[in-house]
Amino acid sequence: MSERTLAIIKPDAVAKHVIGDIIQRYEGAGLNPIAMKMVRLSKKSAEGFYAVHSERPFFNDLTTYMASGSVVLLVLEGENAIAKNRDLMGATDPKKADTGTIRAAHGASIEANAVHGSDAIETANFEIGYFFPEFE
């Protein structure tokens, strides 16, 4: 089933100049970027995006980090896009991510783990609409 998912290339990966490698991995897995933009999130925008985590102890650090530099926002489309992207990303902790995954290759820590990806259809719909309202 063809789906859409949101992917974010996080500030650490943008700073390491690995945007091209990450996008090539998406495309190689059959995930086609149908929308893309580079932005610098405000703290308020990051807080709105991660509002589901607002009560978690890591919320402030996460939103501060996500507002610390440019990010690349992508809408990816393809067969089983959400699951395919989750597999491609690897475990949240790059040290536990399988060899060959984006996070194993480019992540430095649980927070600076190179990429974000939607975890379910409902989440994808919210996340895509948050940054790309034209897709709502």
Side-chain angles (χ1 to χ4, degrees):
M1 174 177 80
S2 187
E3 304 176 320
R4 291 179 177 167
T5 188
L6 183 85
I8 302 175
I9 302 175
K10 293 183 176 183
D12 60 297
V14 172
K16 286 192 236 176
H17 305 286
V18 295
I19 297 167
D21 178 65
I22 293 170
I23 292 172
Q24 191 171 34
R25 289 169 187 255
Y26 294 147
E27 290 179 321
L31 298 173
N32 302 310
I34 60 167
M36 178 171 47
K37 59 186 171 185
M38 180 182 273
V39 300
R40 175 121 187 211
L41 299 177
S42 67
K43 177 90 156 111
K44 184 177 179 182
S45 180
E47 287 171 348
F49 181 74
Y50 287 107
V52 67
H53 298 302
S54 64
E55 301 302 315
R56 307 288 293 271
F58 59 81
F59 179 72
N60 186 59
D61 288 344
L62 172 63
T63 55
T64 298
Y65 161 70
M66 289 299 290
S68 71
S70 295
V71 299
V72 178
L73 306 167
L74 301 102
V75 178
L76 303 174
E77 186 174 69
E79 291 297 313
N80 300 308
I82 295 167
K84 203 177 275 186
N85 187 40
R86 303 291 295 173
D87 289 344
L88 201 59
M89 289 190 310
T92 303
D93 182 349
K95 293 177 191 79
K96 296 178 181 171
D98 291 340
T99 302
T101 63
I102 294 169
R103 288 175 171 157
H106 300 302
S109 67
I110 288 176
E111 187 176 88
N113 62 7
V115 289
H116 164 90
S118 306
D119 62 3
I121 295 274
E122 300 75 25
T123 312
N125 290 337
F126 165 77
E127 291 179 349
I128 291 168
Y130 191 82
F131 290 120
F132 296 93
E134 62 272 24
F135 283 102
E136 283 188 303

